[in-house]
PDB file of all heavy atoms in Angstrom:
ATOM      1  N   ALA P  14     145.850 -20.302 129.882  1.00 88.00           N
ATOM      2  CA  ALA P  14     144.584 -21.050 130.515  1.00 88.00           C
ATOM      3  C   ALA P  14     143.389 -20.116 130.426  1.00 88.00           C
ATOM      4  O   ALA P  14     142.232 -20.625 130.140  1.00 88.00           O
ATOM      5  CB  ALA P  14     144.949 -21.555 131.854  1.00 88.00           C
ATOM      6  N   ALA P  15     143.502 -19.021 130.883  1.00 86.00           N
ATOM      7  CA  ALA P  15     142.309 -17.988 130.877  1.00 86.00           C
ATOM      8  C   ALA P  15     141.805 -17.760 129.467  1.00 86.00           C
ATOM      9  O   ALA P  15     140.615 -17.722 129.277  1.00 86.00           O
ATOM     10  CB  ALA P  15     142.699 -16.810 131.633  1.00 86.00           C
ATOM     11  N   LEU P  17     142.208 -19.495 126.717  1.00 84.00           N
ATOM     12  CA  LEU P  17     141.721 -20.773 126.150  1.00 84.00           C
ATOM     13  C   LEU P  17     140.414 -21.307 126.829  1.00 84.00           C
ATOM     14  O   LEU P  17     139.804 -22.173 126.172  1.00 84.00           O
ATOM     15  CB  LEU P  17     142.759 -21.925 126.118  1.00 84.00           C
ATOM     16  CG  LEU P  17     144.002 -21.624 125.410  1.00 84.00           C
ATOM     17  CD1 LEU P  17     144.976 -22.706 125.732  1.00 84.00           C
ATOM     18  CD2 LEU P  17     143.672 -21.646 123.891  1.00 84.00           C
ATOM     19  N   GLY P  18     140.039 -20.714 127.935  1.00 82.00           N
ATOM     20  CA  GLY P  18     138.777 -21.070 128.576  1.00 82.00           C
ATOM     21  C   GLY P  18     138.989 -22.335 129.462  1.00 82.00           C
ATOM     22  O   GLY P  18     138.102 -23.016 129.841  1.00 82.00           O
ATOM     23  N   ALA P  19     140.238 -22.636 129.841  1.00 82.00           N
ATOM     24  CA  ALA P  19     140.571 -23.834 130.615  1.00 82.00           C
ATOM     25  C   ALA P  19     140.324 -23.629 132.006  1.00 82.00           C
ATOM     26  O   ALA P  19     140.227 -24.582 132.821  1.00 82.00           O
ATOM     27  CB  ALA P  19     142.010 -24.288 130.450  1.00 82.00           C
ATOM     28  N   GLY P  20     140.109 -22.438 132.484  1.00 81.00           N
ATOM     29  CA  GLY P  20     139.623 -22.100 133.817  1.00 81.00           C
ATOM     30  C   GLY P  20     140.657 -22.391 134.903  1.00 81.00           C
ATOM     31  O   GLY P  20     141.873 -22.472 134.681  1.00 81.00           O
ATOM     32  N   PHE P  21     140.201 -22.632 136.178  1.00 84.00           N
ATOM     33  CA  PHE P  21     141.064 -22.937 137.311  1.00 84.00           C
ATOM     34  C   PHE P  21     141.924 -24.235 137.075  1.00 84.00           C
ATOM     35  O   PHE P  21     143.096 -24.216 137.473  1.00 84.00           O
ATOM     36  CB  PHE P  21     140.061 -23.127 138.485  1.00 84.00           C
ATOM     37  CG  PHE P  21     140.943 -23.230 139.815  1.00 84.00           C
ATOM     38  CD1 PHE P  21     141.679 -22.234 140.279  1.00 84.00           C
ATOM     39  CD2 PHE P  21     140.971 -24.562 140.414  1.00 84.00           C
ATOM     40  CE1 PHE P  21     142.366 -22.492 141.550  1.00 84.00           C
ATOM     41  CE2 PHE P  21     141.628 -24.836 141.572  1.00 84.00           C
ATOM     42  CZ  PHE P  21     142.464 -23.738 142.135  1.00 84.00           C
ATOM     43  N   LEU P  22     141.284 -25.230 136.526  1.00 85.00           N
ATOM     44  CA  LEU P  22     142.022 -26.444 136.377  1.00 85.00           C
ATOM     45  C   LEU P  22     143.111 -26.365 135.383  1.00 85.00           C
ATOM     46  O   LEU P  22     144.201 -26.873 135.599  1.00 85.00           O
ATOM     47  CB  LEU P  22     140.958 -27.624 135.792  1.00 85.00           C
ATOM     48  CG  LEU P  22     141.507 -28.997 135.783  1.00 85.00           C
ATOM     49  CD1 LEU P  22     142.027 -29.567 137.121  1.00 85.00           C
ATOM     50  CD2 LEU P  22     140.470 -29.906 135.274  1.00 85.00           C
ATOM     51  N   GLY P  23     142.973 -25.616 134.291  1.00 86.00           N
ATOM     52  CA  GLY P  23     143.984 -25.417 133.319  1.00 86.00           C
ATOM     53  C   GLY P  23     145.140 -24.448 133.967  1.00 86.00           C
ATOM     54  O   GLY P  23     146.228 -24.672 133.618  1.00 86.00           O
ATOM     55  N   GLY P  24     144.738 -23.560 134.909  1.00 89.00           N
ATOM     56  CA  GLY P  24     145.662 -22.740 135.526  1.00 89.00           C
ATOM     57  C   GLY P  24     146.528 -23.568 136.408  1.00 89.00           C
ATOM     58  O   GLY P  24     147.816 -23.443 136.549  1.00 89.00           O
ATOM     59  N   ILE P  25     146.019 -24.447 137.279  1.00 91.00           N
ATOM     60  CA  ILE P  25     146.754 -25.315 138.117  1.00 91.00           C
ATOM     61  C   ILE P  25     147.655 -26.266 137.304  1.00 91.00           C
ATOM     62  O   ILE P  25     148.844 -26.465 137.594  1.00 91.00           O
ATOM     63  CB  ILE P  25     145.823 -26.274 138.885  1.00 91.00           C
ATOM     64  CG1 ILE P  25     144.952 -25.393 139.928  1.00 91.00           C
ATOM     65  CG2 ILE P  25     146.503 -27.360 139.567  1.00 91.00           C
ATOM     66  CD1 ILE P  25     145.891 -24.746 141.060  1.00 91.00           C
ATOM     67  N   MET P  26     147.192 -26.808 136.148  1.00 90.00           N
ATOM     68  CA  MET P  26     147.976 -27.577 135.303  1.00 90.00           C
ATOM     69  C   MET P  26     149.140 -26.857 134.694  1.00 90.00           C
ATOM     70  O   MET P  26     150.227 -27.343 134.489  1.00 90.00           O
ATOM     71  CB  MET P  26     147.116 -28.229 134.221  1.00 90.00           C
ATOM     72  CG  MET P  26     146.061 -29.262 134.686  1.00 90.00           C
ATOM     73  SD  MET P  26     145.039 -29.852 133.368  1.00 90.00           S
ATOM     74  CE  MET P  26     146.056 -31.034 132.677  1.00 90.00           C
ATOM     75  N   MET P  69     150.271 -26.046 126.620  1.00 90.00           N
ATOM     76  CA  MET P  69     148.946 -25.416 126.960  1.00 90.00           C
ATOM     77  C   MET P  69     148.136 -25.301 125.652  1.00 90.00           C
ATOM     78  O   MET P  69     147.034 -25.562 125.632  1.00 90.00           O
ATOM     79  CB  MET P  69     149.112 -24.069 127.636  1.00 90.00           C
ATOM     80  CG  MET P  69     149.617 -24.105 129.100  1.00 90.00           C
ATOM     81  SD  MET P  69     148.424 -25.064 130.073  1.00 90.00           S
ATOM     82  CE  MET P  69     147.015 -24.065 130.014  1.00 90.00           C
ATOM     83  N   VAL P  73     146.771 -29.258 126.552  1.00 81.00           N
ATOM     84  CA  VAL P  73     145.803 -29.025 127.634  1.00 81.00           C
ATOM     85  C   VAL P  73     144.683 -28.155 127.162  1.00 81.00           C
ATOM     86  O   VAL P  73     143.616 -28.249 127.571  1.00 81.00           O
ATOM     87  CB  VAL P  73     146.454 -28.217 128.770  1.00 81.00           C
ATOM     88  CG1 VAL P  73     145.535 -27.852 129.841  1.00 81.00           C
ATOM     89  CG2 VAL P  73     147.643 -29.112 129.325  1.00 81.00           C
ATOM     90  N   GLY P  74     144.972 -27.284 126.120  1.00 76.00           N
ATOM     91  CA  GLY P  74     143.904 -26.320 125.650  1.00 76.00           C
ATOM     92  C   GLY P  74     142.692 -26.820 125.067  1.00 76.00           C
ATOM     93  O   GLY P  74     141.770 -26.264 125.058  1.00 76.00           O
ATOM     94  N   THR P  75     142.742 -28.056 124.580  1.00 76.00           N
ATOM     95  CA  THR P  75     141.619 -28.581 123.933  1.00 76.00           C
ATOM     96  C   THR P  75     140.731 -29.464 124.897  1.00 76.00           C
ATOM     97  O   THR P  75     139.519 -29.290 124.984  1.00 76.00           O
ATOM     98  CB  THR P  75     141.983 -29.510 122.787  1.00 76.00           C
ATOM     99  OG1 THR P  75     142.838 -28.660 121.825  1.00 76.00           O
ATOM    100  CG2 THR P  75     140.915 -30.040 122.073  1.00 76.00           C
ATOM    101  N   PRO P  76     141.300 -30.468 125.710  1.00 76.00           N
ATOM    102  CA  PRO P  76     140.455 -31.326 126.465  1.00 76.00           C
ATOM    103  C   PRO P  76     139.912 -30.563 127.687  1.00 76.00           C
ATOM    104  O   PRO P  76     138.726 -30.951 128.162  1.00 76.00           O
ATOM    105  CB  PRO P  76     141.275 -32.539 126.799  1.00 76.00           C
ATOM    106  CG  PRO P  76     142.673 -32.047 126.662  1.00 76.00           C
ATOM    107  CD  PRO P  76     142.656 -30.980 125.657  1.00 76.00           C
ATOM    108  N   VAL P  77     140.672 -29.769 128.403  1.00 73.00           N
ATOM    109  CA  VAL P  77     140.158 -29.147 129.571  1.00 73.00           C
ATOM    110  C   VAL P  77     138.960 -28.232 129.345  1.00 73.00           C
ATOM    111  O   VAL P  77     137.947 -28.419 130.045  1.00 73.00           O
ATOM    112  CB  VAL P  77     141.248 -28.338 130.275  1.00 73.00           C
ATOM    113  CG1 VAL P  77     140.775 -27.595 131.571  1.00 73.00           C
ATOM    114  CG2 VAL P  77     142.335 -29.469 130.728  1.00 73.00           C
ATOM    115  N   PRO P  78     138.859 -27.353 128.375  1.00 67.00           N
ATOM    116  CA  PRO P  78     137.669 -26.574 128.072  1.00 67.00           C
ATOM    117  C   PRO P  78     136.435 -27.413 127.632  1.00 67.00           C
ATOM    118  O   PRO P  78     135.456 -27.133 127.914  1.00 67.00           O
ATOM    119  CB  PRO P  78     138.058 -25.609 126.960  1.00 67.00           C
ATOM    120  CG  PRO P  78     139.530 -25.473 127.140  1.00 67.00           C
ATOM    121  CD  PRO P  78     139.946 -26.798 127.662  1.00 67.00           C
ATOM    122  N   ALA P  79     136.817 -28.554 126.958  1.00 69.00           N
ATOM    123  CA  ALA P  79     135.764 -29.466 126.569  1.00 69.00           C
ATOM    124  C   ALA P  79     135.025 -30.140 127.706  1.00 69.00           C
ATOM    125  O   ALA P  79     133.893 -30.430 127.676  1.00 69.00           O
ATOM    126  CB  ALA P  79     136.291 -30.483 125.615  1.00 69.00           C
ATOM    127  N   ALA P  80     135.952 -30.438 128.769  1.00 70.00           N
ATOM    128  CA  ALA P  80     135.292 -31.125 129.915  1.00 70.00           C
ATOM    129  C   ALA P  80     134.665 -30.154 130.875  1.00 70.00           C
ATOM    130  O   ALA P  80     133.750 -30.447 131.564  1.00 70.00           O
ATOM    131  CB  ALA P  80     136.440 -31.811 130.621  1.00 70.00           C
ATOM    132  N   SER P  81     135.111 -28.784 130.847  1.00 66.00           N
ATOM    133  CA  SER P  81     134.537 -27.884 131.769  1.00 66.00           C
ATOM    134  C   SER P  81     133.071 -27.482 131.710  1.00 66.00           C
ATOM    135  O   SER P  81     132.404 -27.486 132.626  1.00 66.00           O
ATOM    136  CB  SER P  81     135.349 -26.668 131.783  1.00 66.00           C
ATOM    137  OG  SER P  81     136.707 -26.967 132.107  1.00 66.00           O
ATOM    138  N   PRO P  82     132.591 -27.200 130.361  1.00 61.00           N
ATOM    139  CA  PRO P  82     131.119 -26.982 130.368  1.00 61.00           C
ATOM    140  C   PRO P  82     130.219 -28.034 130.847  1.00 61.00           C
ATOM    141  O   PRO P  82     129.170 -27.804 131.502  1.00 61.00           O
ATOM    142  CB  PRO P  82     130.914 -26.717 128.869  1.00 61.00           C
ATOM    143  CG  PRO P  82     132.232 -26.363 128.340  1.00 61.00           C
ATOM    144  CD  PRO P  82     133.176 -27.154 129.138  1.00 61.00           C
ATOM    145  N   SER P  83     130.505 -29.320 130.589  1.00 57.00           N
ATOM    146  CA  SER P  83     129.754 -30.432 131.065  1.00 57.00           C
ATOM    147  C   SER P  83     129.648 -30.463 132.618  1.00 57.00           C
ATOM    148  O   SER P  83     128.586 -30.591 133.142  1.00 57.00           O
ATOM    149  CB  SER P  83     130.150 -31.781 130.417  1.00 57.00           C
ATOM    150  OG  SER P  83     131.475 -32.029 130.880  1.00 57.00           O
ATOM    151  N   ARG P  84     130.904 -30.210 133.282  1.00 55.00           N
ATOM    152  CA  ARG P  84     130.843 -30.237 134.689  1.00 55.00           C
ATOM    153  C   ARG P  84     130.082 -29.069 135.256  1.00 55.00           C
ATOM    154  O   ARG P  84     129.430 -29.159 136.215  1.00 55.00           O
ATOM    155  CB  ARG P  84     132.248 -30.164 135.198  1.00 55.00           C
ATOM    156  CG  ARG P  84     133.021 -31.491 134.853  1.00 55.00           C
ATOM    157  CD  ARG P  84     134.343 -31.483 135.509  1.00 55.00           C
ATOM    158  NE  ARG P  84     135.010 -32.795 135.205  1.00 55.00           N
ATOM    159  CZ  ARG P  84     136.084 -33.064 135.701  1.00 55.00           C
ATOM    160  NH1 ARG P  84     136.774 -32.344 136.570  1.00 55.00           N
ATOM    161  NH2 ARG P  84     136.603 -34.335 135.393  1.00 55.00           N
ATOM    162  N   ALA P  85     130.259 -27.877 134.513  1.00 54.00           N
ATOM    163  CA  ALA P  85     129.532 -26.568 135.009  1.00 54.00           C
ATOM    164  C   ALA P  85     128.056 -26.841 134.889  1.00 54.00           C
ATOM    165  O   ALA P  85     127.303 -26.435 135.907  1.00 54.00           O
ATOM    166  CB  ALA P  85     130.013 -25.411 134.242  1.00 54.00           C
ATOM    167  N   ALA P  86     127.583 -27.466 133.806  1.00 58.00           N
ATOM    168  CA  ALA P  86     126.166 -27.701 133.693  1.00 58.00           C
ATOM    169  C   ALA P  86     125.693 -28.661 134.634  1.00 58.00           C
ATOM    170  O   ALA P  86     124.473 -28.497 135.167  1.00 58.00           O
ATOM    171  CB  ALA P  86     125.859 -28.206 132.173  1.00 58.00           C
ATOM    172  N   SER P  87     126.355 -29.788 134.860  1.00 57.00           N
ATOM    173  CA  SER P  87     125.834 -30.701 135.876  1.00 57.00           C
ATOM    174  C   SER P  87     125.916 -30.053 137.330  1.00 57.00           C
ATOM    175  O   SER P  87     124.905 -30.366 138.153  1.00 57.00           O
ATOM    176  CB  SER P  87     126.650 -31.930 135.960  1.00 57.00           C
ATOM    177  OG  SER P  87     128.044 -31.674 136.444  1.00 57.00           O
ATOM    178  N   PHE P  88     126.758 -29.183 137.557  1.00 53.00           N
ATOM    179  CA  PHE P  88     126.805 -28.480 138.829  1.00 53.00           C
ATOM    180  C   PHE P  88     125.631 -27.673 138.998  1.00 53.00           C
ATOM    181  O   PHE P  88     124.984 -27.568 140.066  1.00 53.00           O
ATOM    182  CB  PHE P  88     128.096 -27.704 139.081  1.00 53.00           C
ATOM    183  CG  PHE P  88     128.168 -26.995 140.260  1.00 53.00           C
ATOM    184  CD1 PHE P  88     128.347 -27.539 141.575  1.00 53.00           C
ATOM    185  CD2 PHE P  88     128.101 -25.558 140.318  1.00 53.00           C
ATOM    186  CE1 PHE P  88     128.502 -26.857 142.686  1.00 53.00           C
ATOM    187  CE2 PHE P  88     128.113 -24.814 141.377  1.00 53.00           C
ATOM    188  CZ  PHE P  88     128.378 -25.514 142.663  1.00 53.00           C
ATOM    189  N   ARG P  89     125.247 -26.875 137.918  1.00 57.00           N
ATOM    190  CA  ARG P  89     124.171 -26.107 137.892  1.00 57.00           C
ATOM    191  C   ARG P  89     122.844 -26.864 138.136  1.00 57.00           C
ATOM    192  O   ARG P  89     121.903 -26.542 138.904  1.00 57.00           O
ATOM    193  CB  ARG P  89     124.023 -25.181 136.585  1.00 57.00           C
ATOM    194  CG  ARG P  89     124.758 -23.952 136.709  1.00 57.00           C
ATOM    195  CD  ARG P  89     124.588 -23.113 135.504  1.00 57.00           C
ATOM    196  NE  ARG P  89     125.843 -23.077 134.870  1.00 57.00           N
ATOM    197  CZ  ARG P  89     125.934 -23.447 133.625  1.00 57.00           C
ATOM    198  NH1 ARG P  89     125.055 -23.849 132.817  1.00 57.00           N
ATOM    199  NH2 ARG P  89     127.283 -23.454 133.039  1.00 57.00           N
ATOM    200  N   ARG P  90     122.780 -28.004 137.502  1.00 59.00           N
ATOM    201  CA  ARG P  90     121.503 -28.824 137.710  1.00 59.00           C
ATOM    202  C   ARG P  90     121.411 -29.344 139.114  1.00 59.00           C
ATOM    203  O   ARG P  90     120.238 -29.276 139.685  1.00 59.00           O
ATOM    204  CB  ARG P  90     121.588 -30.109 136.731  1.00 59.00           C
ATOM    205  CG  ARG P  90     121.262 -29.695 135.242  1.00 59.00           C
ATOM    206  CD  ARG P  90     121.019 -30.968 134.445  1.00 59.00           C
ATOM    207  NE  ARG P  90     122.130 -31.881 134.533  1.00 59.00           N
ATOM    208  CZ  ARG P  90     123.180 -31.826 133.692  1.00 59.00           C
ATOM    209  NH1 ARG P  90     123.077 -31.029 132.576  1.00 59.00           N
ATOM    210  NH2 ARG P  90     124.087 -32.725 133.686  1.00 59.00           N
TER     211      ARG P  90
END
Side-chain angles (χ1 to χ4, degrees):
L17 292 172
F21 181 75
L22 187 60
I25 293 291
M26 292 174 85
M69 287 298 294
V73 177
T75 305
V77 172
S81 295
S83 62
R84 290 184 181 189
S87 66
F88 178 72
R89 275 186 247 121
R90 283 193 304 267

